[in-house]
Amino acid sequence: SQQGEEDPQALSIQEGENATMNCSYKTSINNLQWYRQNSGRGLVHLILIRSNEREKHSGRLRVTLDTSKKSSSLLITASRAADTASYFCATGDWTGANSKLTFGKGITLSVRP
Amino acid sequence: NAGVMQNPRHLVRRRGQEARLRCSPMKGHSHVYWYRQLPEEGLKFMVYLQKENIIDESGMPKERFSAEFPKEGPSILRIQQVVRGDSAAYFCASSPGAPNSPLHFGNGTRLTVT
């Protein structure tokens, strides 16, 4: 079963508004990462938060992590049309030499100009 | 500033043919991952390789699928005797392998089986 489950599945907002996307996971993690995917392209890494961190910022991005609730949120402030994309959370489970990431199904964000 | 290079971008195969997907990781990266993405779905992990070694192939179908990452040259994902259900986008990602390092993805190979 999927480790990460994003919520909502789709989000449509007006340019300039903030977009909040949520991710829940099931098992213990080492880190949680958010990626963006534009149509027809590969995923691009946005931000990584370690399991011992609660909040992290990068430009217009703010990520929170609540390990007690096994959930994370990604906030994009002052959204732009160029933010239109699919967003995925991925959990990292470092067990020995294995470092694979497990991805959720993604959130489709549409930002209307 | 070459990122992860995948080729071909699009591949059309008839049922029963073989598909070979290539991936050159970023310079300096020795860890390669293959993922499969179906429409409206997330990425499903297939296999994780280091140079000349398969580290984790728990996501690979037992039949018809194989992967390699030789000492020289790109990583290859090989699908023998393709079926329509193999149609998907296949993404390769690489990392330097350090703990918590993010993955760098290629733009994928879109396989269509007719």
Side-chain angles (χ1 to χ4, degrees):
Chain A
S1 63
Q2 287 294 122
Q3 167 73 314
E5 294 286 342
E6 293 96 344
D7 168 58
Q9 287 189 322
L11 182 62
S12 181
I13 60 174
Q14 199 73 35
E15 202 166 27
E17 293 180 337
N18 295 340
T20 300
M21 292 168 270
N22 302 300
C23 169
S24 59
Y25 57 92
K26 294 184 174 68
T27 63
S28 62
I29 61 170
N30 178 282
N31 66 82
L32 187 141
Q33 303 180 31
W34 285 91
Y35 288 77
R36 183 187 74 225
Q37 183 180 34
N38 289 91
S39 181
R41 305 298 294 266
L43 277 70
V44 174
H45 178 260
L46 294 176
I47 195 164
L48 178 153
I49 186 164
R50 293 182 170 78
S51 57
N52 62 351
E53 297 176 312
R54 293 294 166 259
E55 188 171 314
K56 203 159 180 183
H57 297 253
S58 176
R60 293 184 296 115
L61 305 181
R62 173 178 168 252
V63 169
T64 62
L65 179 65
D66 186 336
T67 53
S68 67
K69 294 181 180 176
K70 291 187 166 58
S71 68
S72 171
S73 68
L74 171 68
L75 169 68
I76 304 175
T77 60
S79 64
R80 304 166 183 168
D83 294 328
T84 295
S86 293
Y87 291 81
F88 295 86
C89 71
T91 50
D93 172 22
W94 284 78
T95 306
N98 190 343
S99 61
K100 72 186 184 195
L101 288 181
T102 304
F103 287 84
K105 290 187 178 182
I107 297 170
T108 301
L109 173 66
S110 298
V111 181
R112 304 185 301 274
Chain B
N1 184 24
V4 177
M5 303 301 291
Q6 288 189 251
N7 65 81
R9 283 298 309 274
H10 301 274
L11 182 62
V12 179
R13 286 285 179 266
R14 290 198 180 91
R15 278 182 298 170
Q17 291 185 319
E18 178 181 288
R20 290 172 71 88
L21 287 63
R22 293 175 187 78
C23 168
S24 295
M26 276 187 75
K27 189 175 180 181
H29 288 190
S30 58
H31 296 235
V32 165
Y33 308 78
W34 285 94
Y35 286 83
R36 177 164 63 179
Q37 185 177 38
L38 292 167
E40 311 303 324
E41 294 281 331
L43 272 71
K44 302 283 189 186
F45 168 78
M46 298 182 74
V47 62
Y48 162 38
L49 311 105
Q50 294 179 26
K51 284 282 185 183
E52 299 185 279
N53 285 307
I54 296 175
I55 306 303
D56 180 352
E57 57 182 346
S58 59
M60 285 273 275
K62 295 284 187 286
E63 310 283 335
R64 303 186 297 107
F65 285 71
S66 63
E68 62 176 11
F69 188 18
K71 188 176 179 181
E72 301 290 337
S75 175
I76 306 286
L77 178 67
R78 184 177 173 214
I79 311 172
Q80 294 178 290
Q81 299 174 331
V82 296
V83 301
R84 288 223 171 96
D86 297 333
S87 295
Y90 292 83
F91 289 93
C92 169
S94 72
S95 82
N100 290 328
S101 51
L103 299 186
H104 297 259
F105 282 83
N107 282 325
T109 292
R110 275 145 189 86
L111 172 66
T112 302
V113 180
T114 62

